[in-house]
């Protein structure tokens, strides 16, 4: 369900009047999306996407709109945010921010073919290449994935749940965080962090657009690569990483953004961090002695950092 707040025709008409995008005609809710309210808006000038942010402050939204404006200027396939008549990228309605975006043509594909998968991997690599030297505005208003972020959020969740299980899980997580090796020189930039099929559009078998930068943040450039590996080499429910499929994803990604040696050496650590962050999102799931994220961490611990590196980067496909 993509609508959490309902808008009257009058309210939408007034919002559209703040833009030089024609006169409001009609609106249709999007069926995809679970967090923000998204509407397809029709005006006399065309179609647009109205996004009402249910749980983001204005600066967090401006992080997103400024990023998308930058990417659009670089000809990256993503929706452009429109400025209103006052020159602002975000408006406020009932104390919550909203943005009008470009409507992107295309369709969502639940099971992309090999060509479409390669295109998505390419666009992820290009996103990291474009943003490795990008200085994000309002960076601190985003949840930037790091050891500190993971630890702080886990402590918050453990306190909120307040059970023996949550306290034991926190102790396990903090111990695992201490074992990570993440050098200061490990490259950082913007990662999209959510390659769900509902956030990707294809048009006539060609990649059309990457949507929904709601989870985008400033973190290790490897995070999106790990997300792609997880999509095709370590899907939910599987306890073991499919090494061959992971190498294929890395090989395709590296054609468009070659990894630095330090990234290859510490992919293991960022991978574990990503799993620990997933653990926080689902902190109430499973018993401390046996839950999904722990089984994944156990697999990586048993394999070890050096063997992981050897398996993925020696004899590359």
């Amino acid at each position: 369900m993509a609508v959490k707040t309902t808008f009257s025709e009058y309210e939408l008409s007034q919002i559209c009047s703040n833009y030089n995008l024609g006169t409001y005609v009609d609106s249709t809710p999007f069926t995809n999306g679970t967090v923000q309210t998204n509407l397809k808006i029709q005006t006399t000038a065309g179609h647009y996407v109205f996004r009402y942010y249910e749980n983001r402050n204005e600066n967090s939204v401006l992080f997103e709109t400024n990023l998308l404006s930058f990417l659009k200027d670089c000809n990256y396939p993503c929706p452009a945010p429109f400025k209103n008549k006052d020159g602002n990228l975000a408006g406020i309605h009932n104390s919550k921010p909203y943005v009008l975006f470009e409507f992107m043509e295309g369709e969502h594909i639940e099971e992309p073919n090999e060509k479409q998968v390669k295109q998505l991997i390419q666009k992820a690599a290009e996103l990291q290449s474009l943003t490795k030297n990008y200085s994000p505005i309002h960076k601190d208003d985003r949840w930037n994935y790091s050891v500190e972020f993971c630890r702080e959020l886990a402590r918050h969740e453990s306190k909120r749940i307040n059970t023996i299980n949550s306290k034991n899980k926190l102790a396990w997580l903090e111990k695992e965080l201490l074992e990570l090796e993440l050098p200061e020189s490990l490259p950082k930039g913007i990662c999209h962090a959510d390659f769900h099929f509902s956030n990707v559009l294809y048009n006539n078998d060609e990649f059309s657009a990457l949507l929904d930068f709601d989870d985008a943040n400033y973190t290790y450039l490897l995070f999106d690569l790990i997300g792609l590996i997880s999509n095709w080499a370590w899907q939910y429910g599987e306890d073991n990483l499919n090494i061959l499929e992971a190498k294929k994803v890395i090989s395709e990604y590296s054609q468009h953004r070659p990894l630095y040696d330090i990234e290859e050496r510490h992919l293991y650590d960022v991978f574990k961090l990503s799993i620990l962050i997933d653990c926080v999102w689902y902190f109430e799931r499973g018993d401390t002695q046996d839950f999904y994220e722990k089984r994944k961490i156990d697999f990586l611990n048993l394999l070890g950092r050096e063997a992981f590196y050897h398996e993925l980067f020696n004899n590359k496909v």
Side-chain angles (χ1 to χ4, degrees):
M1 180 63 178
V3 174
K4 292 192 172 183
T5 299
T6 58
F7 290 83
S8 68
E9 297 290 289
Y10 175 76
E11 287 175 311
L12 292 174
S13 178
Q14 289 298 109
I15 287 171
C16 288
S17 70
N18 295 323
Y19 295 81
N20 294 311
L21 298 173
T23 304
Y24 173 79
V25 175
D26 195 11
S27 68
T28 306
F30 286 97
T31 56
N32 291 318
T34 58
V35 180
Q36 318 302 352
T37 290
N38 300 285
L39 302 174
K40 182 180 179 181
I41 298 290
Q42 180 183 352
T43 76
T44 53
H47 292 99
Y48 306 94
V49 175
F50 169 74
R51 175 167 248 211
Y52 189 63
Y53 291 84
E54 305 285 354
N55 63 350
R56 296 287 190 191
N57 64 38
E58 185 177 6
N59 283 346
S60 176
V61 172
L62 289 174
F63 170 97
E64 182 176 340
T65 55
N66 281 283
L67 168 63
L68 287 167
S69 294
F70 166 79
L71 291 174
K72 201 68 180 182
D73 288 343
C74 296
N75 297 314
Y76 189 83
C78 62
F82 291 101
K83 291 183 178 180
N84 60 26
K85 292 178 179 178
D86 294 326
N88 299 318
L89 288 169
I92 301 293
H93 178 80
N94 290 341
S95 301
K96 293 182 179 180
Y98 68 85
V99 177
L100 256 61
F101 287 102
E102 174 187 12
F103 175 74
M104 306 293 288
E105 296 287 349
E107 61 179 330
H108 303 290
I109 299 176
E110 293 191 37
E111 296 184 9
N113 59 38
E114 183 178 353
K115 175 184 175 182
Q116 292 164 338
V117 169
K118 287 184 176 182
Q119 289 176 348
L120 174 56
I121 294 171
Q122 174 183 345
K123 293 307 173 186
E126 289 177 358
L127 173 64
Q128 273 83 71
S129 293
L130 288 171
T131 65
K132 64 182 179 181
N133 296 315
Y134 172 71
S135 298
I137 301 173
H138 303 301
K139 177 185 70 174
D140 294 338
D141 288 278
R142 282 278 163 146
W143 282 0
N144 301 305
Y145 296 163
S146 65
V147 169
E148 295 75 17
F149 164 78
C150 185
R151 181 183 293 114
E152 180 180 345
L153 200 60
R155 289 174 177 174
H156 177 272
E157 285 298 286
S158 178
K159 184 178 180 180
R160 179 186 66 81
I161 299 167
N162 195 30
T163 63
I164 296 297
N165 192 62
S166 69
K167 293 175 183 177
N168 289 339
K169 187 175 284 191
L170 174 63
W172 169 84
L173 183 143
E174 290 192 317
K175 176 179 178 296
E176 291 295 339
L177 287 175
L178 289 173
E179 296 180 5
L180 300 181
E181 296 182 9
L182 297 165
E184 286 292 324
S185 56
L186 199 57
K188 290 185 176 182
I190 302 297
C191 286
H192 180 272
D194 188 6
F195 289 122
H196 190 268
F197 74 89
S198 63
N199 295 330
V200 183
L201 290 178
Y202 292 91
N203 196 356
N204 295 325
D205 204 37
E206 296 294 328
F207 188 97
S208 175
L210 182 60
L211 310 176
D212 194 354
F213 283 68
D214 198 36
D215 291 329
N217 67 93
Y218 183 76
T219 184
Y220 301 106
L221 291 177
L222 289 171
F223 249 97
D224 273 349
L225 173 58
I226 288 166
L228 294 166
I229 292 171
S230 297
N231 281 349
W232 284 286
W234 206 345
Q235 298 178 8
Y236 178 71
E238 299 174 352
D239 293 341
N240 300 328
L241 174 66
N242 185 322
I243 297 294
L244 180 59
E245 290 301 316
K247 291 175 70 172
K248 289 179 180 178
V249 173
I250 292 170
S251 177
E252 183 65 31
Y253 182 96
S254 299
Q255 291 184 43
H256 309 286
R257 187 184 81 84
L259 297 179
Y260 296 99
D261 179 67
I262 193 172
E263 291 183 294
E264 294 184 353
R265 288 287 178 180
H266 294 280
L267 179 65
Y268 173 86
D269 300 278
V270 182
F271 213 137
K272 289 180 69 174
L273 177 59
S274 75
I275 295 169
L276 294 171
I277 290 174
D278 281 344
C279 174
V280 179
W281 300 143
Y282 304 101
F283 214 68
E284 295 183 75
R285 182 171 68 189
D287 182 81
T288 308
Q289 300 303 314
D290 182 33
F291 58 96
Y292 180 53
E293 290 79 21
K294 182 178 184 298
R295 293 196 297 272
K296 294 178 75 173
I297 292 292
D298 287 346
F299 169 83
L300 290 175
N301 284 341
L302 184 62
L303 184 61
R305 182 181 290 103
E306 286 302 313
F308 179 88
Y309 169 79
H310 177 80
E311 290 282 349
L312 290 181
F313 295 106
N314 285 2
N315 302 315
K316 299 176 185 178
V317 297

